[in-house]
Amino acid sequence: MTKRFDSAVERAGPRFAPWLSDTNDLTSRNIEASRIPGLVNLSGGLPDPVLLPTKALGRIATTVIRDYPHDCFGYGPTAGLPQLREAIARRYRARGVPVVAENVLVTASGTQTLDLVGKLLAVPGDTIVCEFPSYAGAFDAWRPRDPKYRHLGLRAGDDLRANMAGAAFAYLIPNFSNPTGYLVTEEERLRLIAAAWTSGTPLVEDDPYGSLYYDGDPIPTMLRLASLGRENLDDCPVIHLASLSKQLAPGMRIGWIIAAPATIRALNTAKQATDLCSNGLAQCMAAAAMEAGLIEECHPRIVSLYRTRRDALCAAMSRHIDDWFTWEVPVGGMFVWATARDPRIDVDLLVDVGMETGVLVGAGHHFDPLRIAPPAIRLSFTFNDETKLELGISRLAQALEALGTRASSVPQRSCSSEMGA
Amino acid sequence: MTKRFDSAVERAGPRFAPWLSDTNDLTSRNIEASRIPGLVNLSGGLPDPVLLPTKALGRIATTVIRDYPHDCFGYGPTAGLPQLREAIARRYRARGVPVVAENVLVTASGTQTLDLVGKLLAVPGDTIVCEFPSYAGAFDAWRPRDPKYRHLGLRAGDDLRANMAGAAFAYLIPNFSNPTGYLVTEEERLRLIAAAWTSGTPLVEDDPYGSLYYDGDPIPTMLRLASLGRENLDDCPVIHLASLSKQLAPGMRIGWIIAAPATIRALNTAKQATDLCSNGLAQCMAAAAMEAGLIEECHPRIVSLYRTRRDALCAAMSRHIDDWFTWEVPVGGMFVWATARDPRIDVDLLVDVGMETGVLVGAGHHFDPLRIAPPAIRLSFTFNDETKLELGISRLAQALEALGTRASSVPQRSCSSEMGA
């Protein structure tokens, strides 16, 4: 895997590292879609901008610039401003997890938590264990580390310890996986923690959607379960990732990692080499927003709007595409994962034909490099209102008709029975 | 270079990637220094916080949050908000460089420009060419790419084409190198560009200090020289890095890369995998600050203060440490590079003894992994006022006395003659 400059092509500009050419086209598709008037984008996992508390954030910005001008605009500590590390720690302590500031590294977004974890734990050629399908953006973040992948097999009931053994780390989104929307049960979480202990493999818990429960009580995070009865996280096998993007405002680019102090110190070195420190104003605003209870204030409106839209999307799916797809209604998060009844479906062709009929959906294989799951699509319900969700799914049905792949088999499962409606 | 978990140590927590253990101790020394009351830190390259235009930035924050709330707090394009890409392009066009928005990638700091260039151009095992001594933070940023290094030999008059041939890229800070303060001449810049053309090796021009000229007229950047007489940057061999950290406010974490459109598109993919997009509010503020002329407003005060301090540092050096060190007075930037007259000096011991006498200086070898240069120290003059600079250097002289390494040789060059004072 060497890269050299060929004199014959020197005028054609530099050669780029090979990992760059492997990236999926989900994002470029989304950008393309944003340029097509009237197209309904069900692919991107975007929050609805109407939920941004812009006025409250504006007031907070004014206050923190007045009170902490040097924290806002000078260089800050690599691991984050002390007041934000402490504010984050306090939130976890309030939920019964023994987190102190030394367990917290502030990052510039959830994506940066993934980049730093890859730099921290993966050496080129290492194996990363995931429950596939899994988040495509994480694969992007780790591609420069040139990893191999192994399937965790949690839902298949595999031997977790055996599958995790010898890997750089195991990665999971227990609260409403992106893309599947699956909620890992408490029993499964306990099995994962036990496997992390016995295999010695760190368990990376990515939790961007943990505040987006639409039904029932939240299940404790793996971080919490692993620390039950302990006074600190010193030998905790869980590395916990989170961000403000889905709770407050993605443009703030504030994320964080919770882990044992030794892990945080090593991550500090990795972040120093990556961007030295995060934006000061955003950190001051995040700390002040936590202090003022702004996240809790925003929470009911976010959950209520997204719950309605989840129900609207699934109802539209039942009306229009039940003959072609099966799905589970997610308890939370942003996505519905729809599996094709006919495994012969050409999902990439469906995406193309969908674009022609005015709807964009995400091809499932981008989330599934080992092709563990049958053909599927990912649908997001957070960005579009109910009218657009109905329009998008009815267009998807047109695309399916046009594709001529209507399955003749008996439906295996219908949305309405899952919803209990 | 594999990393596996040893069952004997599994309770000791995860193993970290080997690159993390190679990092220099400059930063940890600086943190240690900040905890010692009265210690004069001449090691860190910090701007003086009194120069931060916090009131003006506060007014700008209020305005952009009111006018562009979704740009400030929603997800933005990976390459940067269009208004900031255009504002940056306009600044370069005003200096005669044919830059358009498609040539600009906005980053979250100068350090991120280095991380992204490493991810873009270096495959593990590749060679990076630098004029040593060079910036230690760049080595940190590239360490995850596991590069080899080769000396450029610009000042030694080496064959640049031969030294650049086959490398992933060549890296240079032409305007007041960190750590040496050296200003690359226009003739040398033209030789470098010619070598980039003939070798096919991209030339990375890092320009964080380009606004910090204290004497004489600025020399055109290599980006400008390489684009003279051209209508665009399409086949420009220079990749130009810059940031707002030394011109406006480091806490904003706004940097950028200027390059050919194909390079910017590939960098866009790398940034997407690194942090998805930069902070929206900081980007809106940067665009508005450029629009309002705030950088130009701040410039005279920054230059005037730092010029006075450079002169004060060099005068104190002439008074106190001329018997032990030689140096060139830098035309700009933040650093003076002092070379030991006696090559037998133990610089690490000097740093330790300096800490005991109340002054911190940077050991030169951190910037010089190939040990090209004789033993030296890096001194920064931007953060401390004249009284503290005098105090720090007099303490350094005490440390040198204590070290007992006073050279008996005839001084080769004195500061006063260089300064023309």
Side-chain angles (χ1 to χ4, degrees):
Chain A
M1 211 168 88
T2 56
K3 178 179 60 68
R4 289 289 169 261
F5 293 95
D6 181 345
S7 61
V9 296
E10 66 186 32
R11 300 281 155 151
R15 296 272 181 87
F16 304 131
W19 74 271
L20 284 160
S21 56
D22 294 333
T23 300
N24 66 71
D25 71 347
L26 278 166
T27 303
S28 56
R29 283 278 193 177
N30 279 329
I31 292 169
E32 193 185 339
S34 69
R35 293 187 186 129
I36 301 173
L39 185 136
V40 179
N41 185 349
L42 301 177
S43 170
L46 294 175
D48 191 326
V50 302
L51 294 168
L52 294 171
T54 58
K55 289 212 161 44
L57 290 172
R59 283 190 297 273
I60 287 174
T62 303
T63 306
V64 297
I65 292 173
R66 185 194 64 208
D67 294 346
Y68 313 103
H70 292 173
D71 282 352
C72 290
F73 297 123
Y75 280 115
T78 298
L81 288 169
Q83 60 268 43
L84 180 55
R85 296 176 78 188
E86 180 51 40
I88 292 168
R90 207 179 298 126
R91 291 177 70 78
Y92 283 85
R93 286 201 299 273
R95 293 176 234 161
V97 192
V99 178
V100 293
E102 289 66 35
N103 299 118
V104 181
L105 183 101
V106 177
T107 69
S109 78
T111 301
Q112 191 182 60
T113 66
L114 298 166
D115 177 57
L116 294 178
V117 161
K119 284 176 170 170
L120 177 79
L121 296 175
V123 170
D126 268 2
T127 296
I128 297 172
V129 181
C130 301
E131 179 72 5
F132 290 104
S134 190
Y135 178 42
F139 310 149
D140 283 348
W142 300 326
R143 203 161 271 124
R145 311 304 292 158
D146 195 23
K148 298 183 186 70
Y149 284 101
R150 192 191 296 156
H151 186 47
L152 178 59
L154 175 71
R155 297 180 71 181
D158 285 8
D159 179 345
L160 299 181
R161 183 192 192 285
N163 285 349
M164 283 167 67
F169 59 90
Y171 172 80
L172 217 75
I173 308 177
N175 287 326
F176 327 117
S177 170
N178 180 354
T180 64
Y182 182 69
L183 176 65
V184 175
T185 67
E186 182 162 344
E187 184 274 331
E188 288 170 331
R189 295 178 193 217
L190 292 168
R191 280 179 56 215
L192 283 158
I193 293 162
W197 275 112
T198 53
S199 67
T201 298
L203 185 56
V204 176
E205 172 178 55
D206 192 5
D207 195 26
Y209 315 115
S211 64
L212 302 182
Y213 270 84
Y214 310 134
D215 312 311
D217 292 326
I219 297 173
T221 60
M222 297 198 293
L223 181 73
R224 180 162 182 223
L225 292 170
S227 64
L228 279 177
R230 293 172 187 269
E231 285 178 4
N232 59 52
L233 302 180
D234 288 4
D235 55 4
C236 181
V238 176
I239 298 174
H240 175 92
L241 319 179
S243 91
L244 286 185
S245 294
K246 275 70 182 182
Q247 309 183 65
L248 197 60
M252 292 175 72
R253 313 312 291 138
I254 294 288
W256 58 84
I257 304 178
I258 311 286
T263 300
I264 295 297
R265 284 193 298 272
L267 284 165
N268 184 83
T269 303
K271 183 168 167 72
Q272 181 187 314
T274 300
D275 69 353
L276 211 55
C277 65
S278 295
N279 180 287
L281 175 52
Q283 290 187 77
C284 288
M285 289 173 65
M290 289 179 185
E291 185 80 19
L294 184 59
I295 295 173
E296 288 69 23
E297 205 177 294
C298 294
H299 184 252
R301 200 172 154 225
I302 297 173
V303 167
S304 163
L305 188 74
Y306 289 169
R307 183 194 291 117
T308 305
R309 290 180 177 181
R310 175 204 59 183
D311 293 345
L313 176 73
C314 290
M317 290 171 73
S318 292
R319 276 193 295 276
H320 299 293
I321 63 167
D322 190 44
D323 285 352
W324 290 281
F325 285 98
T326 67
W327 58 91
E328 290 175 24
V329 178
V331 176
M334 305 178 82
F335 304 105
V336 176
W337 180 253
T339 299
R341 293 185 186 276
D342 184 342
R344 294 165 303 176
I345 191 170
D346 182 338
V347 169
D348 284 316
L349 187 60
L350 175 62
V351 173
D352 289 341
V353 176
M355 287 285 274
E356 288 162 23
T357 60
V359 63
L360 178 62
V361 300
H365 58 79
H366 294 308
F367 305 90
D368 190 19
L370 302 182
R371 307 273 171 155
I372 299 289
I377 55 175
R378 188 190 73 168
L379 301 167
S380 170
F381 52 81
T382 52
F383 184 75
N384 295 288
D385 64 23
E386 292 149 81
T387 310
K388 281 211 173 147
L389 290 169
E390 165 67 22
L391 181 64
I393 294 298
S394 68
R395 287 176 177 174
L396 183 61
Q398 288 170 38
L400 284 158
E401 293 279 5
L403 208 64
T405 57
R406 188 173 187 125
S408 56
S409 61
V410 178
Q412 293 154 32
R413 185 160 55 195
S414 78
C415 180
S416 49
S417 66
E418 288 287 320
M419 291 182 74
Chain B
M1 211 167 90
T2 56
K3 179 178 59 71
R4 290 288 171 262
F5 293 94
D6 180 346
S7 60
V9 295
E10 67 185 33
R11 298 283 155 150
R15 296 272 181 88
F16 304 131
W19 76 271
L20 284 160
S21 57
D22 294 333
T23 300
N24 65 72
D25 70 347
L26 280 167
T27 303
S28 56
R29 283 278 193 177
N30 280 328
I31 293 168
E32 193 185 339
S34 70
R35 291 186 188 132
I36 301 173
L39 185 136
V40 180
N41 185 350
L42 300 177
S43 170
L46 293 175
D48 190 327
V50 301
L51 294 168
L52 294 171
T54 57
K55 290 213 160 43
L57 290 172
R59 284 190 297 271
I60 286 174
T62 304
T63 306
V64 298
I65 292 173
R66 184 194 64 208
D67 294 347
Y68 313 103
H70 291 174
D71 282 352
C72 290
F73 298 123
Y75 279 115
T78 298
L81 289 170
Q83 60 268 43
L84 180 55
R85 296 177 79 189
E86 180 51 40
I88 292 168
R90 207 179 297 126
R91 291 177 70 78
Y92 283 85
R93 286 201 299 273
R95 293 177 234 162
V97 192
V99 178
V100 294
E102 289 67 33
N103 298 118
V104 182
L105 182 101
V106 177
T107 69
S109 77
T111 302
Q112 191 182 61
T113 67
L114 298 166
D115 177 57
L116 294 178
V117 162
K119 284 177 170 168
L120 176 79
L121 295 174
V123 170
D126 268 2
T127 296
I128 297 172
V129 181
C130 300
E131 179 73 4
F132 290 104
S134 191
Y135 178 43
F139 311 148
D140 284 347
W142 300 326
R143 202 161 270 125
R145 310 304 291 159
D146 196 23
K148 298 183 187 71
Y149 285 102
R150 191 191 296 157
H151 186 45
L152 178 58
L154 175 70
R155 297 180 71 181
D158 285 8
D159 179 344
L160 300 180
R161 183 193 191 284
N163 285 348
M164 284 166 67
F169 60 90
Y171 172 80
L172 218 73
I173 310 177
N175 288 326
F176 327 117
S177 169
N178 180 354
T180 65
Y182 182 68
L183 175 65
V184 176
T185 67
E186 183 161 342
E187 184 274 331
E188 287 170 333
R189 294 179 194 216
L190 292 169
R191 280 178 56 212
L192 283 159
I193 293 163
W197 275 111
T198 53
S199 67
T201 299
L203 184 57
V204 177
E205 172 178 54
D206 192 5
D207 195 27
Y209 315 115
S211 64
L212 301 182
Y213 270 85
Y214 310 134
D215 311 312
D217 291 327
I219 297 174
T221 60
M222 297 198 292
L223 180 72
R224 179 159 182 223
L225 292 170
S227 64
L228 279 176
R230 291 172 189 270
E231 284 177 6
N232 58 52
L233 302 180
D234 287 5
D235 55 5
C236 181
V238 176
I239 298 174
H240 176 93
L241 319 178
S243 91
L244 285 185
S245 294
K246 275 68 182 184
Q247 310 183 64
L248 197 61
M252 293 174 73
R253 314 311 291 137
I254 294 288
W256 56 86
I257 304 179
I258 311 286
T263 301
I264 295 297
R265 284 193 297 272
L267 284 164
N268 184 84
T269 303
K271 183 168 166 74
Q272 182 187 314
T274 300
D275 69 353
L276 210 55
C277 64
S278 295
N279 179 287
L281 175 52
Q283 290 188 76
C284 288
M285 288 173 66
M290 288 179 186
E291 186 81 19
L294 184 59
I295 294 173
E296 288 69 24
E297 204 178 293
C298 293
H299 184 253
R301 201 173 154 225
I302 297 174
V303 166
S304 163
L305 187 75
Y306 289 169
R307 184 194 290 118
T308 305
R309 290 180 177 179
R310 174 204 59 181
D311 293 345
L313 176 72
C314 289
M317 291 171 74
S318 291
R319 276 193 296 277
H320 298 294
I321 63 167
D322 189 45
D323 286 352
W324 290 281
F325 285 98
T326 67
W327 59 91
E328 291 175 24
V329 178
V331 175
M334 305 177 81
F335 304 105
V336 176
W337 180 252
T339 299
R341 293 185 186 276
D342 185 341
R344 293 164 305 178
I345 191 170
D346 182 336
V347 169
D348 284 317
L349 186 60
L350 175 62
V351 173
D352 288 342
V353 177
M355 288 284 274
E356 288 163 22
T357 61
V359 63
L360 178 61
V361 300
H365 58 77
H366 293 308
F367 306 90
D368 190 20
L370 302 181
R371 307 274 171 156
I372 300 288
I377 55 174
R378 188 190 73 169
L379 301 168
S380 169
F381 52 79
T382 52
F383 184 75
N384 294 289
D385 65 22
E386 292 150 80
T387 310
K388 281 211 173 148
L389 290 170
E390 165 67 21
L391 181 64
I393 295 297
S394 68
R395 286 176 176 173
L396 184 61
Q398 287 171 37
L400 284 158
E401 294 278 5
L403 208 63
T405 57
R406 189 175 189 123
S408 56
S409 60
V410 178
Q412 293 152 29
R413 186 161 54 196
S414 79
C415 180
S416 49
S417 66
E418 288 287 322
M419 290 182 75

